[in-house]
Amino acid sequence: MLVAAAVCPCPPLLVPDVAAGAASELDAARAACTDALGVLAAARPDRLVVVGPADESGRGPHAEGTRGSFRGFGVDLSVCLGAASDTDTDTDSVGGGKGAPRRVLPPSLAVAAWLLERVGWSDAPIEGLGVGEPLAPERCIQAGRNIAAGAERVALLVMGDASACRTLKAPGYFDERAAPFDAEVARALGTADVAALRALDADLAYELKAAGRAPWQVLAGAAEGAGLGGTVLYEDAPYGVGYVVASWS
């Protein structure tokens, strides 16, 4: 059963080493993420599942100890999802067989790993799940139900950005639909409105480059019947991209 959730944005710029001289611009977002992770720890979960958007190579499960890095963003910084393993290979990788190379975290889960390392997370075992943008809403929701059924007390750390079309200089250029879309997402996340998250338009989210749509719908599936309440801890659109931090408990 889902006992708590934290929703955080996933830009690599959250990591100060990546942001470099612009690091201070996201200080408030980082502080809000820390507060959201505190809510997860206070819920005393048996298991923490980190969900984030991923391209094809990063989709699917990621075991505790999976490593990631920010070298692709020009920074020699590595992270680990939870406790590091004793080996850099998996002995039972799905489809890989004994001794298969360990998978690498997609950027969204690498940011999550950095956030968890930052707070010294040791409150529960961790596993990750990378979800693809094309994943249909009903499959996202079912994935969330499966997660919630996997342990008596499950917590979710859900990574994902809202639209990338809030300004002319945004990655997706300006789209007048972006601000209303982001406002509805923030409202739904801030009130733990499961039905509204479930009803998010996947096609519109794709057009607005909202990478969080699929992870949020995984959250919606996991939260069915949990009776959680939500609070928005941060909402802004630096760089023309919508970022929301919320906690559910």
Side-chain angles (χ1 to χ4, degrees):
M1 179 178 180
L2 186 70
V3 295
V7 178
C8 296
C10 59
L13 288 173
L14 268 183
V15 180
D17 287 353
V18 176
S24 62
E25 296 176 12
L26 290 179
D27 280 348
R30 292 185 196 97
C33 291
T34 297
D35 291 344
L37 293 178
V39 172
L40 296 186
R44 303 187 308 278
D46 299 324
R47 180 172 60 152
L48 173 63
V49 180
V50 183
V51 182
D55 62 18
E56 190 169 355
S57 65
R59 294 171 192 168
H62 294 267
E64 182 160 22
T66 303
R67 299 181 183 277
S69 82
F70 297 96
R71 293 186 185 92
F73 302 95
V75 176
D76 188 14
L77 175 66
S78 297
V79 292
C80 185
L81 188 65
S85 66
D86 295 331
T87 177
D88 287 329
T89 62
D90 287 329
T91 58
D92 59 350
S93 300
V94 176
K98 186 174 181 179
R102 181 176 292 280
R103 301 183 69 201
V104 177
L105 294 174
S108 67
L109 298 191
V111 173
W114 178 84
L115 288 171
L116 291 164
E117 287 183 2
R118 185 170 181 253
V119 301
W121 178 272
S122 60
D123 299 272
I126 305 172
E127 59 189 78
L129 178 66
V131 293
E133 184 282 327
L135 194 65
E138 57 270 21
R139 292 187 61 193
C140 295
I141 291 161
Q142 186 57 54
R145 291 170 179 158
N146 294 343
I147 290 171
E152 186 173 342
R153 299 181 63 81
V154 179
L156 276 179
L157 172 54
V158 183
M159 308 298 292
D161 302 339
S163 75
C165 303
R166 292 282 291 271
T167 66
L168 293 176
K169 293 184 178 180
Y173 196 66
F174 174 73
D175 190 314
E176 63 184 7
R177 301 171 297 173
F181 177 88
D182 288 358
E184 172 58 12
V185 165
R187 186 204 64 78
L189 293 174
T191 57
D193 189 337
V194 171
L197 293 178
R198 199 165 48 220
L200 287 175
D201 187 326
D203 291 334
L204 177 59
Y206 174 76
E207 292 171 10
L208 296 176
K209 303 185 184 300
R213 190 276 305 172
W216 299 329
Q217 290 185 321
V218 172
L219 169 61
E224 288 178 344
L228 302 181
T231 302
V232 167
L233 304 177
Y234 174 89
E235 180 189 359
D236 202 355
Y239 319 117
V241 181
Y243 297 152
V244 179
V245 180
S247 63
W248 291 22
S249 61

